Amino acid sequence: MTTDDPIHTLSEAVNQAMDIAMAEDPDVFALGEDIEDPIGGVMKGTKGLSTKYGRERVRNTPISEQAIVGAAIGASLVGMRPIAEVMLMDFFAVAMDQVANHAAKLRYMSGGRTNVPITIRTSVGGGRQFGAQHSQSLEAWMMHIPGLKVAVPSTPRDAKGLLYSCIFDDDPCIFMETMSLLFTRGPVPPGRFEIPLGVADVKRAGDDVSVVTWGWQVPEALAAAETLADEGISVEVVDLRTLVPLDRDAILRSVAKTTRAVVVHAATQFAGPGAEIASLVGHELFGRLSAPVERMGAAYSPVPYAAELESLHYPERKRIAATIRAMA
Amino acid sequence: MTVSTTQPVGSGGSNEGLTDDAALRIFRTVTTIRSTEDRIIRGLSSGELRMTYYTVRGQEVIPAAICEHLRRDDYMVTTYRGMHDCIAKGVPLDELVAEMCGKVTGTSKGKGGPMHLSDPQSGLMVTTGVVGGGLPIAVGLALSSKLRGTDQVTVVNFGDGATSIGATHEACNLAALWEVPVVFVCQNNQYGEHTKFADYTRSPSLAERFRGYGMEARTVDGNSVPAMHEAAAEAIGAARSGSGPVFLECLTYRLGGHSFGATTEYMDPDELSQAEANEPVGRYRRWLVDQRGIGEDVLADIEAAVVSSVEAAVEAAKASPPPAPEELLTDVFSSVEALPR
Ligand SMILES: Cc1ncc(C[n+]2csc(CCOP(=O)(O)OP(=O)(O)O)c2C)c(N)n1
Ligand SMILES: [Mg+2]
């Protein structure tokens, strides 16, 4: 990463990826609730794009998630590359028939004669006292449907590169924008910039314990690693960046080195993505681990409203540090 | 006020059923709603309180008039923008405010928050944060009354924007088919989040569209107490007497941004200031004095009493502790034994 890249927020990086994709390819268009200017998306992801590309290509919709996703699927079947926005990941519940029974399966059901190159952008809440219906990290739900790709960037740079790849990927991609990271800043390469799907990134190198994580929990893990460095514990933080495809090699490479792994995610721990990763590590590195693989995910409860409960619901840096300390 | 193109029914008309007692109860309710909102906004602005708050300013009259015709055992379903509905249905103010502040004395022990108020004792069964999510549930509540042979009515409140989502249409069709006692109260405040009514539908009238499901549907001036009172009497009366669902499109105007702190840049400032000048609580107060001859002192007494009860509710909420850590894992299932370990 060159340090002289201009600094942008994650939301601006998302905007750049769409801007470049729309400039390059007239088949790219966007649809969703309140995405036109002056609002430009409630999280500002599409700010300026309807002004630049017109309201034909950046289209406001009624509050109709099924129709948003379904219309994106339809246009994609004949080669367009729609970017649908579902305002919050919780509202996938409303669109799930189109997502799970159609987008994910049409390529297979048609024996490869059709495909669905859509991208669904969605904000993921959590930690903001938005309550049980506006705070869910539902990546495990997406991962469980064969046929969907899932990207969860943790930095502005990754957001730009991954979104660009999602838009031009030939399969349906779910692009999760973590709300609490949307306005964090970081260097973003200017112009066309791509990060292939399925390639993890080591955000911090270390020798003693590997933290395998993504999205919201990446900065939490990095903060825990920083604290532990002062105590002489060296932590490696592996940011998966995409969950499907899953970068098995990166996970195994890191854990083979450290021999200890913690998987951390904001999704519910029970039957969460961590189970898949722990099973992978346990199976492939059987006999070489110095400790059982630890998993840290959200508690088995709807997301509580009261701040005092919500902070107990999700993993956070102090408890991540405590878990690592106990196994190192 | 700019509204959709259909004419409100009974707008501003006199109302025989509206006794002085009823008129004053409604006044107390709208005043309570307004004072609570004002107090919350003040607390949010100063940093004294913290919550996501969806303004109900401008929509007070709708539930205040409706609830005049409801019993405690009638059911209500509402949305995140539902504080006015909760107050009108009789949710105790202390518990309501405490819930919005995430405190253990709240209706849900602080676990639900402002978007998820419920208080079965006063018939407030569900508050949903998902647009359209409440309507199918309301059909089921109404079905229970039909199956059990009671004469309870269910009222479900939702925004104009919710008429764009599938759940709403499935629910309305089913309710009409089954002739269940539900009143669909569409609070048409002219905006779905940041999008104006005319920018998300070509239907000139929601009442007209929903009449197509084979139920009674009418448009009413939701900011007029006499009009709302009369329309609600008819709708609730019809549902209670077994003639099936009714759809009420209540025309109103959201007097502010979508939520506290949200932009209003997309709202027409002239239209907004005109609507504010004609806001329904002040309009009703003037009507009581000018048309009904109610004494200024009577109204002032009610207002003073309301203000102190609102202040007491806020103070009680502030003094209440947050839920204890153990509450994280209770209420997931009927028993904690069922939790995965
Ligand atoms: C299914 C779903 N999609 C999107 C949202 C985000 N959202 C919250 S409120 C709102 C606008 C709803 O408008 P309307 O139904 O008119 O109700 P109002 O807010 O005006 O009371 C939107 C889009 C949501 N809560 N649920
Ligand atoms: Mg509305």
Side-chain angles (χ1 to χ4, degrees):
Chain A
M1 196 192 305
T2 50
T3 44
D4 47 358
D5 281 338
I7 302 297
H8 290 285
T9 64
L10 197 152
S11 176
E12 288 162 359
V14 161
N15 187 284
Q16 283 184 17
M18 286 189 281
D19 189 354
I20 292 166
M22 291 188 74
E24 280 179 6
D25 184 347
D27 277 331
V28 176
F29 71 98
L31 70 169
E33 294 160 19
D34 287 321
I35 69 168
E36 291 177 9
D37 293 331
I39 299 300
V42 292
M43 290 295 148
K44 304 291 167 216
T46 48
K47 190 93 190 160
L49 297 181
S50 69
T51 303
K52 185 165 175 184
Y53 296 101
R55 296 187 141 80
E56 284 294 307
R57 289 182 70 197
V58 179
R59 309 178 74 93
N60 266 3
T61 64
I63 306 170
S64 308
E65 283 79 7
Q66 286 206 71
I68 293 167
V69 176
I73 294 172
S76 80
L77 285 173
V78 289
M80 297 196 79
R81 294 193 172 273
I83 308 167
E85 178 173 324
V86 171
M87 201 183 275
L88 259 185
M89 190 155 210
D90 309 70
F91 311 150
F92 262 72
V94 171
M96 210 53 184
D97 172 58
Q98 292 296 328
V99 174
N101 288 328
H102 296 88
K105 295 178 175 44
L106 285 173
R107 179 192 285 277
Y108 194 85
M109 295 191 301
S110 70
R113 301 193 60 190
T114 63
N115 67 311
V116 181
I118 64 171
T119 299
I120 310 178
R121 295 177 44 240
T122 191
S123 293
V124 186
R128 305 165 74 84
Q129 278 203 274
F130 285 175
Q133 294 177 337
H134 287 67
S135 307
Q136 299 170 87
S137 291
L138 296 172
E139 57 267 38
W141 206 13
M142 303 299 135
M143 292 169 73
H144 199 70
I145 313 292
L148 300 176
K149 293 178 178 172
V150 185
V152 199
S154 71
T155 65
R157 180 179 187 276
D158 290 353
K160 179 171 179 179
L162 291 171
L163 179 55
Y164 185 89
S165 295
C166 285
I167 295 169
F168 290 105
D169 194 87
D170 286 337
D171 293 311
C173 295
I174 313 298
F175 186 82
M176 295 170 55
E177 299 173 15
T178 303
M179 231 189 258
S180 58
L181 302 182
L182 270 175
F183 299 98
T184 57
R185 292 170 184 281
V188 177
R192 187 176 186 280
F193 172 60
E194 214 170 333
I195 293 175
L197 304 181
V199 182
D201 183 41
V202 176
K203 288 286 191 292
R204 179 186 175 112
D207 301 316
D208 299 332
V209 178
S210 301
V211 179
V212 180
T213 188
W214 53 91
W216 182 16
Q217 295 300 319
V218 171
E220 294 301 313
L222 288 171
E226 194 63 36
T227 303
L228 293 165
D230 296 340
E231 301 171 20
I233 301 170
S234 168
V235 176
E236 178 147 304
V237 178
V238 182
D239 178 356
L240 290 179
R241 303 198 292 196
T242 64
L243 298 168
V244 181
L246 182 68
D247 190 348
R248 288 170 51 103
D249 295 346
I251 298 168
L252 296 175
R253 206 181 306 126
S254 175
V255 185
K257 177 178 70 174
T258 61
T259 72
R260 295 177 185 86
V262 191
V263 192
V264 183
H265 53 66
T268 305
Q269 181 170 316
F270 183 75
E276 183 64 39
I277 294 161
S279 143
L280 167 72
V281 171
H283 187 268
E284 297 299 316
L285 299 176
F286 183 70
R288 294 165 62 189
L289 297 175
S290 305
V293 181
E294 291 290 341
R295 291 189 289 143
M296 297 182 75
Y300 190 84
S301 75
V303 182
Y305 171 68
E308 294 79 1
L309 293 185
E310 192 181 12
S311 65
L312 296 175
H313 177 84
Y314 295 109
E316 49 75 54
R317 53 193 68 186
K318 283 210 184 76
R319 271 178 286 127
I320 296 170
T323 300
I324 295 171
R325 208 177 277 124
M327 69 194 301
Chain B
M1 184 175 66
T2 309
V3 294
S4 62
T5 55
T6 44
Q7 285 303 307
V9 173
S11 175
S14 72
N15 198 284
E16 285 151 30
L18 190 61
T19 63
D20 278 1
D21 277 354
L24 288 177
R25 277 195 302 272
I26 292 173
F27 181 72
R28 177 180 283 274
T29 304
V30 297
T31 303
T32 306
I33 296 165
R34 178 61 62 83
S35 300
T36 309
E37 163 143 341
D38 287 348
R39 183 63 184 83
I40 287 172
I41 300 280
R42 191 146 51 83
L44 291 173
S45 306
S46 69
E48 173 196 14
L49 302 176
R50 200 161 57 94
M51 69 182 74
T52 316
Y53 183 72
Y54 297 89
T55 184
V56 296
R57 189 178 173 84
Q59 301 180 206
E60 296 89 345
V61 160
I62 299 166
I66 283 172
C67 291
E68 231 349 86
H69 306 289
L70 293 182
R71 301 190 311 238
R72 198 169 167 77
D73 69 339
D74 288 327
Y75 299 129
M76 183 170 274
V77 174
T78 187
T79 73
Y80 51 90
R81 195 185 309 288
M83 190 186 73
H84 56 330
D85 300 324
C86 295
I87 289 174
K89 191 67 179 75
V91 177
L93 199 58
D94 286 13
E95 294 173 36
L96 178 79
V97 175
E99 186 60 33
M100 297 176 84
C101 296
K103 298 303 185 73
V104 74
T105 51
T107 45
S108 309
K109 297 178 274 185
K111 295 161 79 164
M115 285 200 264
H116 307 302
L117 297 154
S118 48
D119 185 39
Q121 273 183 350
S122 44
L124 197 275
M125 300 308 297
V126 179
T127 299
T128 183
V130 180
V131 169
L135 285 89
I137 296 170
V139 174
L141 288 164
L143 177 63
S144 78
S145 308
K146 187 173 166 120
L147 292 177
R148 289 169 169 172
T150 73
D151 66 347
Q152 291 158 289
V153 169
T154 297
V155 167
V156 53
N157 300 283
F158 50 97
D160 48 291
T163 59
S164 298
I165 207 158
T168 296
H169 295 271
E170 296 184 25
C172 287
N173 185 58
L174 188 61
L177 179 71
W178 286 350
E179 297 181 308
V180 295
V182 59
V183 179
F184 294 103
V185 176
C186 177
Q187 301 191 14
N188 183 351
N189 62 8
Q190 314 303 323
Y191 286 94
E193 199 137 2
H194 308 295
T195 304
K196 274 174 100 82
F197 184 85
D199 291 338
Y200 68 75
T201 181
R202 295 212 192 274
S203 295
S205 154
L206 294 174
E208 196 177 296
R209 173 148 43 117
F210 281 81
R211 197 171 294 130
Y213 287 113
M215 64 179 151
E216 179 65 29
R218 64 187 276 198
T219 307
V220 55
D221 179 352
N223 285 8
S224 156
V225 170
M228 258 322 293
H229 186 264
E230 184 203 318
E234 279 180 25
I236 293 164
R240 206 182 296 287
S241 68
S243 58
V246 179
F247 185 98
L248 286 184
E249 178 186 12
C250 306
L251 299 177
T252 180
Y253 198 88
R254 194 186 73 201
L255 292 173
H258 175 61
S259 58
F260 177 77
T263 174
T264 54
E265 63 186 318
Y266 55 93
M267 295 176 84
D268 178 345
D270 294 337
E271 192 182 283
L272 183 56
S273 60
Q274 202 188 321
E276 183 61 51
N278 198 26
E279 61 82 15
V281 176
R283 172 178 161 190
Y284 182 48
R285 197 184 195 288
R286 290 191 298 277
W287 184 83
L288 286 174
V289 174
D290 299 345
Q291 309 292 316
R292 296 293 292 252
I294 308 267
E296 178 68 39
D297 52 333
V298 175
L299 301 180
D301 283 352
I302 293 174
E303 286 163 336
V306 162
V307 166
S308 61
S309 66
V310 169
E311 194 53 42
V314 170
E315 287 308 321
K318 282 165 59 186
S320 171
E326 305 83 72
E327 287 290 351
L328 179 61
L329 294 176
T330 62
D331 305 314
V332 178
F333 292 124
S334 54
S335 156
V336 290
E337 299 301 308
L339 292 171
R341 272 179 290 178

PDB file of all heavy atoms in Angstrom, chain B residues 322-334:
ATOM      1  N   PRO B 322     -30.201   0.804  33.924  1.00  0.00           N
ATOM      2  CA  PRO B 322     -30.284  -0.009  32.701  1.00  0.00           C
ATOM      3  C   PRO B 322     -30.578  -1.459  33.075  1.00  0.00           C
ATOM      4  O   PRO B 322     -30.451  -1.828  34.238  1.00  0.00           O
ATOM      5  CB  PRO B 322     -28.879   0.124  32.106  1.00  0.00           C
ATOM      6  CG  PRO B 322     -27.997   0.412  33.261  1.00  0.00           C
ATOM      7  CD  PRO B 322     -28.823   1.177  34.254  1.00  0.00           C
ATOM      8  N   PRO B 323     -30.963  -2.271  32.107  1.00  0.00           N
ATOM      9  CA  PRO B 323     -31.182  -3.686  32.419  1.00  0.00           C
ATOM     10  C   PRO B 323     -29.886  -4.350  32.886  1.00  0.00           C
ATOM     11  O   PRO B 323     -28.797  -3.971  32.449  1.00  0.00           O
ATOM     12  CB  PRO B 323     -31.670  -4.275  31.088  1.00  0.00           C
ATOM     13  CG  PRO B 323     -31.342  -3.267  30.039  1.00  0.00           C
ATOM     14  CD  PRO B 323     -31.254  -1.941  30.704  1.00  0.00           C
ATOM     15  N   ALA B 324     -30.019  -5.333  33.761  1.00  0.00           N
ATOM     16  CA  ALA B 324     -28.848  -6.046  34.277  1.00  0.00           C
ATOM     17  C   ALA B 324     -28.264  -6.942  33.183  1.00  0.00           C
ATOM     18  O   ALA B 324     -28.981  -7.365  32.282  1.00  0.00           O
ATOM     19  CB  ALA B 324     -29.269  -6.898  35.478  1.00  0.00           C
ATOM     20  N   PRO B 325     -26.962  -7.233  33.267  1.00  0.00           N
ATOM     21  CA  PRO B 325     -26.308  -8.051  32.234  1.00  0.00           C
ATOM     22  C   PRO B 325     -27.020  -9.382  31.961  1.00  0.00           C
ATOM     23  O   PRO B 325     -27.064  -9.838  30.816  1.00  0.00           O
ATOM     24  CB  PRO B 325     -24.910  -8.297  32.813  1.00  0.00           C
ATOM     25  CG  PRO B 325     -24.677  -7.160  33.746  1.00  0.00           C
ATOM     26  CD  PRO B 325     -26.016  -6.745  34.281  1.00  0.00           C
ATOM     27  N   GLU B 326     -27.611  -9.995  32.987  1.00  0.00           N
ATOM     28  CA  GLU B 326     -28.296 -11.285  32.797  1.00  0.00           C
ATOM     29  C   GLU B 326     -29.427 -11.183  31.790  1.00  0.00           C
ATOM     30  O   GLU B 326     -29.827 -12.179  31.189  1.00  0.00           O
ATOM     31  CB  GLU B 326     -28.901 -11.810  34.112  1.00  0.00           C
ATOM     32  CG  GLU B 326     -27.939 -11.931  35.263  1.00  0.00           C
ATOM     33  CD  GLU B 326     -27.745 -10.604  35.980  1.00  0.00           C
ATOM     34  OE1 GLU B 326     -28.656 -10.147  36.691  1.00  0.00           O
ATOM     35  OE2 GLU B 326     -26.660 -10.000  35.782  1.00  0.00           O
ATOM     36  N   GLU B 327     -29.953  -9.964  31.618  1.00  0.00           N
ATOM     37  CA  GLU B 327     -31.088  -9.806  30.703  1.00  0.00           C
ATOM     38  C   GLU B 327     -30.705 -10.075  29.249  1.00  0.00           C
ATOM     39  O   GLU B 327     -31.567 -10.279  28.409  1.00  0.00           O
ATOM     40  CB  GLU B 327     -31.682  -8.398  30.817  1.00  0.00           C
ATOM     41  CG  GLU B 327     -32.474  -8.161  32.087  1.00  0.00           C
ATOM     42  CD  GLU B 327     -33.788  -8.935  32.137  1.00  0.00           C
ATOM     43  OE1 GLU B 327     -34.191  -9.532  31.108  1.00  0.00           O
ATOM     44  OE2 GLU B 327     -34.393  -8.958  33.215  1.00  0.00           O
ATOM     45  N   LEU B 328     -29.410 -10.074  28.956  1.00  0.00           N
ATOM     46  CA  LEU B 328     -28.989 -10.325  27.570  1.00  0.00           C
ATOM     47  C   LEU B 328     -29.588 -11.628  27.054  1.00  0.00           C
ATOM     48  O   LEU B 328     -30.035 -11.703  25.905  1.00  0.00           O
ATOM     49  CB  LEU B 328     -27.454 -10.367  27.492  1.00  0.00           C
ATOM     50  CG  LEU B 328     -26.854 -10.648  26.111  1.00  0.00           C
ATOM     51  CD1 LEU B 328     -27.244  -9.572  25.103  1.00  0.00           C
ATOM     52  CD2 LEU B 328     -25.333 -10.755  26.198  1.00  0.00           C
ATOM     53  N   LEU B 329     -29.587 -12.649  27.885  1.00  0.00           N
ATOM     54  CA  LEU B 329     -29.984 -13.975  27.401  1.00  0.00           C
ATOM     55  C   LEU B 329     -31.345 -14.440  27.913  1.00  0.00           C
ATOM     56  O   LEU B 329     -31.738 -15.582  27.677  1.00  0.00           O
ATOM     57  CB  LEU B 329     -28.901 -14.998  27.748  1.00  0.00           C
ATOM     58  CG  LEU B 329     -27.568 -14.775  27.027  1.00  0.00           C
ATOM     59  CD1 LEU B 329     -26.520 -15.777  27.489  1.00  0.00           C
ATOM     60  CD2 LEU B 329     -27.734 -14.842  25.514  1.00  0.00           C
ATOM     61  N   THR B 330     -32.069 -13.574  28.589  1.00  0.00           N
ATOM     62  CA  THR B 330     -33.444 -13.953  28.935  1.00  0.00           C
ATOM     63  C   THR B 330     -34.355 -13.453  27.825  1.00  0.00           C
ATOM     64  O   THR B 330     -33.989 -12.573  27.054  1.00  0.00           O
ATOM     65  CB  THR B 330     -33.909 -13.336  30.265  1.00  0.00           C
ATOM     66  OG1 THR B 330     -33.884 -11.913  30.131  1.00  0.00           O
ATOM     67  CG2 THR B 330     -33.024 -13.754  31.417  1.00  0.00           C
ATOM     68  N   ASP B 331     -35.527 -14.048  27.725  1.00  0.00           N
ATOM     69  CA  ASP B 331     -36.559 -13.679  26.738  1.00  0.00           C
ATOM     70  C   ASP B 331     -36.198 -14.069  25.301  1.00  0.00           C
ATOM     71  O   ASP B 331     -36.893 -13.679  24.368  1.00  0.00           O
ATOM     72  CB  ASP B 331     -36.877 -12.168  26.765  1.00  0.00           C
ATOM     73  CG  ASP B 331     -37.280 -11.696  28.143  1.00  0.00           C
ATOM     74  OD1 ASP B 331     -38.112 -12.376  28.775  1.00  0.00           O
ATOM     75  OD2 ASP B 331     -36.758 -10.665  28.603  1.00  0.00           O
ATOM     76  N   VAL B 332     -35.114 -14.803  25.133  1.00  0.00           N
ATOM     77  CA  VAL B 332     -34.852 -15.329  23.791  1.00  0.00           C
ATOM     78  C   VAL B 332     -35.856 -16.457  23.543  1.00  0.00           C
ATOM     79  O   VAL B 332     -36.525 -16.508  22.500  1.00  0.00           O
ATOM     80  CB  VAL B 332     -33.405 -15.853  23.664  1.00  0.00           C
ATOM     81  CG1 VAL B 332     -33.174 -16.433  22.272  1.00  0.00           C
ATOM     82  CG2 VAL B 332     -32.409 -14.738  23.942  1.00  0.00           C
ATOM     83  N   PHE B 333     -35.945 -17.349  24.511  1.00  0.00           N
ATOM     84  CA  PHE B 333     -36.945 -18.420  24.503  1.00  0.00           C
ATOM     85  C   PHE B 333     -37.735 -18.350  25.803  1.00  0.00           C
ATOM     86  O   PHE B 333     -37.384 -17.595  26.706  1.00  0.00           O
ATOM     87  CB  PHE B 333     -36.249 -19.788  24.424  1.00  0.00           C
ATOM     88  CG  PHE B 333     -35.553 -20.055  23.118  1.00  0.00           C
ATOM     89  CD1 PHE B 333     -34.196 -20.378  23.111  1.00  0.00           C
ATOM     90  CD2 PHE B 333     -36.239 -20.009  21.910  1.00  0.00           C
ATOM     91  CE1 PHE B 333     -33.543 -20.650  21.913  1.00  0.00           C
ATOM     92  CE2 PHE B 333     -35.588 -20.279  20.715  1.00  0.00           C
ATOM     93  CZ  PHE B 333     -34.240 -20.606  20.717  1.00  0.00           C
ATOM     94  N   SER B 334     -38.737 -19.205  25.906  1.00  0.00           N
ATOM     95  CA  SER B 334     -39.527 -19.244  27.136  1.00  0.00           C
ATOM     96  C   SER B 334     -38.652 -19.639  28.319  1.00  0.00           C
ATOM     97  O   SER B 334     -38.923 -19.262  29.454  1.00  0.00           O
ATOM     98  CB  SER B 334     -40.697 -20.216  26.971  1.00  0.00           C
ATOM     99  OG  SER B 334     -40.205 -21.479  26.570  1.00  0.00           O
TER     100      SER B 334
END
